[in-house]
Amino acid sequence: MQTRKYEILYIIRPDLGENDRKALVERFDAIIANSGAENLESKEWEKRRLAYEIKDYKEGLYHIMTFETASEEGLNEFTRLANYSRDILRFMITKQED
């Protein structure tokens, strides 16, 4: 099966404690890694002011992940859990062109 390259950008609420933020990132990294993704890179981007308020927040902590996978299983699970997480304000998954 052919692998595809993806990027996930998500915004974490800014008032989340350092330990809780690290645990959140590790949990969502594990979702992708356990689905067979390769070349996983996960890094904190920066704290930025939002263009408009999201859930009463004017700022957010941006986090970005890049990886390659042949299965969309991890993406589907990431989407499902991120939609229910109160700590993730928004997220976007993009497929990178070869």
Side-chain angles (χ1 to χ4, degrees), residues 11-17 47 57-61 87 89:
I11 305 171
I12 302 169
R13 63 186 179 98
D15 60 350
L16 195 61
K47 185 175 184 177
Y57 291 103
K58 295 180 181 182
E59 294 181 321
L61 300 168
D87 298 327
L89 302 177

Side-chain angles (χ1 to χ4, degrees), residues 38-50:
E38 298 176 11
N39 301 327
L40 178 65
E41 180 185 14
S42 179
K43 60 183 177 181
E44 190 174 304
W45 191 12
E46 62 184 24
K47 185 175 184 177
R48 298 187 63 143
R49 182 164 177 79
L50 302 173

